[in-house]
């Protein structure tokens, strides 16, 4: 055999062997599998399962992500107290104890009052304005710029709509009736209430009923008729006031450990964003659907429904402006975000009164007439 014929045969055999190897070797994993690794996260909530609309948002996020990732990305959800107390949920995320939490920014104002602006502040945005500010008004970027200093990233994942003013053991007719009251109230509203004579208390939702029953507190605000009825507040305090001028449209957030969120594949980040947006919409829809029926039931069970007097609203509004002036004078981060909300609110209420307020007012007249 000459050398040229030998090398031709060897080359042919080599190609054949390579082809055979390629046919029998296991196929390389497709790129999509590499981009969707198996991950298991934990999410702790600030809410108990008894407040099912609030807690359901976290399980809904987990289910959405699991389905979108074909089961590759799973999130175990835990109610308040199962891993950490409800008011420490975001702290656990920042520390890396868990990857996620479902909580409210204003639970953490002890660190910085700027946290309150992520949820709601007295006489602030309503629910639709809150969602619009976060989505297209630069709110999400501003809040996350602030939260980055705490190793947190957050996405809106719920909104309760305008809340009720809460449950009181006695009638509150004048500003003097508030003086000396011990009230469970969260966020900057506590500081405002303090200026009008109230002693604010921050108590996790699961502990409020016992505190009210024992007389540790004289009043409490929580959310609205649906949750309040489930928690049984009407049994221990019958005067039910409205509105919660401190929570016109409070946002609930999904908090993520910043480093762990940034390390996720872009596809998983998108799944979380979409899941949170869906939970955000659904929470408000559920409260809108259930609150009216629950309010009727509460009145039938003995709740005395009363509005806050104009005197109380005016005094509270002035107190709120004093609190804002004090904080913005020494906290530039708070001022930056607060000013953004204020500017957004001006245009928001201008639009509301042009069309929607007029329409709603007319429809309420028809309701009073019994023609609705």
């Amino acid at each position: 055999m000459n050398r040229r014929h030998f090398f031709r045969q060897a080359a042919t055999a080599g190609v054949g062997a390579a082809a055979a190897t390629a046919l029998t070797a296991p196929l390389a994993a497709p790129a999509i599998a590499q981009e969707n690794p198996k991950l298991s996260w934990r999410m702790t909530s600030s809410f108990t399962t008894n407040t099912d609309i609030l807690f359901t948002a976290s399980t809904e996020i987990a289910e959405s992500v699991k389905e979108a990732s074909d089961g590759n990305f799973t999130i175990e959800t835990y109610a308040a107290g199962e891993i950490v107390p409800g008011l420490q949920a975001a702290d656990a995320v920042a520390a890396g104890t868990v990857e996620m939490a479902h909580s409210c920014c204003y639970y953490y104002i002890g660190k910085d009052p700027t946290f309150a602006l992520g949820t709601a502040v007295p006489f602030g945005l309503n629910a639709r304005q809150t969602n619009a500010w976060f989505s297209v008004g630069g709110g999400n970027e501003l809040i996350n710029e602030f939260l980055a200093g705490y190793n947190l990233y957050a996405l809106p994942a719920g909104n309760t709509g305008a809340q009720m003013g809460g449950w009181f053991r006695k009638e509150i007719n004048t500003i003097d009736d508030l003086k000396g009251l011990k009230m469970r109230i969260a966020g900057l509203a506590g500081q405002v209430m303090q200026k009008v004579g109230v002693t604010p208390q921050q108590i996790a939702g699961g502990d409020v009923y016992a505190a009210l029953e024992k007389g540790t507190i004289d009043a409490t605000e929580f959310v609205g008729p649906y949750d309040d009825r489930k928690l049984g507040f009407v049994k221990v305090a019958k005067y039910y006031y409205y509105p919660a001028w401190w929570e016109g449209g409070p946002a609930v957030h999904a908090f993520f450990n910043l480093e762990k969120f940034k390390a996720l594949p872009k596809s998983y980040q998108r799944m979380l964003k979409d899941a949170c947006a869906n939970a955000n919409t659904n929470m408000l829809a559920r409260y809108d659907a259930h609150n009216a029926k629950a309010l009727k039931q509460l009145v039938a069970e003995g709740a005395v429904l009363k509005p806050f007097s104009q005197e109380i609203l005016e005094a509270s509004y002035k107190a709120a402006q004093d609190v804002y002036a004090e904080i913005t004078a020494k906290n530039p981060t708070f001022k930056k975000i607060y000013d953004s909300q204020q500017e957004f609110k001006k245009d928001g209420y201008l639009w509301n009164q042009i069309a929607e307020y007029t329409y709603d007012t007319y429809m309420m007249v028809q309701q009073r007439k019994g023609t609705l």
Side-chain angles (χ1 to χ4, degrees):
M1 182 183 295
N2 63 39
R3 292 173 65 227
R4 183 175 297 172
H5 182 69
F6 174 80
F7 284 121
R8 187 183 301 120
Q9 280 189 323
T12 303
V15 170
T21 301
L23 288 171
T24 58
L27 293 173
I32 190 169
Q34 296 170 10
E35 294 170 0
N36 293 284
K38 289 280 188 181
L39 284 181
S40 180
W41 277 18
R42 297 192 301 168
M43 170 166 40
T44 184
S45 176
S46 285
F47 313 107
T48 62
T49 55
N50 197 31
T51 52
D52 58 291
I53 293 180
L54 286 165
F55 185 75
T56 293
S58 59
T59 59
E60 194 169 54
I61 291 167
E63 289 166 3
S64 296
V65 169
K66 182 179 180 180
E67 183 176 340
S69 68
D70 290 327
N72 287 318
F73 188 6
T74 60
I75 302 169
E76 293 294 325
T77 57
Y78 297 87
E82 291 183 338
I83 296 180
V84 294
L87 299 182
Q88 296 175 23
D91 297 329
V93 175
T97 305
V98 293
E99 292 82 5
M100 287 181 63
H102 190 240
S103 186
C104 295
C105 277
Y106 67 7
Y107 291 158
Y108 311 99
I109 65 167
K111 303 176 188 298
D112 188 317
T114 307
F115 274 96
L117 295 164
T119 301
V121 295
F123 302 102
L125 304 172
N126 66 21
R128 283 178 57 181
Q129 290 164 2
T130 295
N131 283 331
W133 179 72
F134 274 118
S135 297
V136 298
N140 206 51
E141 292 76 12
L142 286 170
I143 289 296
N144 279 308
E145 180 183 297
F146 163 69
L147 290 176
Y150 295 87
N151 195 31
L152 293 169
Y153 178 78
L155 294 168
N159 196 302
T160 68
Q163 296 189 0
M164 292 292 284
W167 299 86
F168 294 76
R169 288 178 172 276
K170 66 175 186 177
E171 285 192 70
I172 306 297
N173 297 313
T174 69
I175 200 69
D176 288 337
D177 292 331
L178 287 171
K179 292 178 180 177
L181 254 68
K182 298 186 295 295
M183 182 177 183
R184 183 268 186 189
I185 187 165
L188 287 187
Q191 294 183 29
V192 175
M193 279 292 203
Q194 196 166 22
K195 282 188 174 293
V196 296
V198 170
T199 301
Q201 309 283 321
Q202 184 152 295
I203 304 172
D207 301 324
V208 175
Y209 182 93
L212 199 58
E213 184 180 35
K214 294 174 183 176
T216 306
I217 55 175
D218 305 303
T220 185
E221 58 81 36
F222 193 65
V223 178
Y226 180 77
D227 285 332
D228 292 355
R229 183 170 183 267
K230 288 175 71 69
L231 293 172
F233 294 145
V234 69
K235 300 173 185 176
V236 286
K238 70 176 182 177
Y239 295 102
Y240 198 23
Y241 279 83
Y242 65 93
W245 42 263
W246 49 88
E247 291 186 277
V252 186
H253 276 82
F255 290 86
F256 307 90
N257 181 280
L258 179 60
E259 294 306 315
K260 292 181 180 180
F261 184 84
K262 287 164 64 175
L264 287 173
K266 293 296 183 185
S267 60
Y268 282 4
Q269 291 181 9
R270 171 50 59 190
M271 289 175 198
L272 285 168
K273 290 176 181 179
D274 289 346
C276 289
N278 184 60
N280 190 56
T281 300
N282 287 347
M283 182 183 290
L284 185 57
R286 289 183 179 116
Y287 277 117
D288 283 345
H290 295 302
N291 272 333
K293 180 180 179 181
L295 183 59
K296 293 176 184 177
Q297 292 171 326
L298 284 168
V299 171
E301 291 167 9
V304 179
L305 194 62
K306 296 177 74 69
F308 283 124
S309 68
Q310 194 66 23
E311 177 194 355
I312 289 173
L313 291 175
E314 290 293 336
S316 299
Y317 186 84
K318 181 182 181 304
Q321 304 317 303
D322 291 343
V323 168
Y324 297 140
E326 292 167 5
I327 298 173
T328 55
K330 56 188 178 184
N331 189 324
T333 304
F334 182 96
K335 184 178 188 305
K336 178 181 178 180
I337 300 176
Y338 176 73
D339 287 349
S340 172
Q341 287 190 354
Q342 288 297 103
E343 286 302 310
F344 198 86
K345 183 172 66 175
K346 289 176 185 176
D347 285 342
Y349 279 112
L350 173 64
W351 169 238
N352 285 160
Q353 65 182 320
I354 293 298
E356 193 157 344
Y357 176 77
T358 306
Y359 174 78
D360 286 347
T361 301
Y362 178 77
M363 295 306 291
M364 286 187 283
V365 169
Q366 299 309 309
Q367 185 180 47
R368 286 195 292 270
K369 289 179 178 179
T371 59
L372 184 61

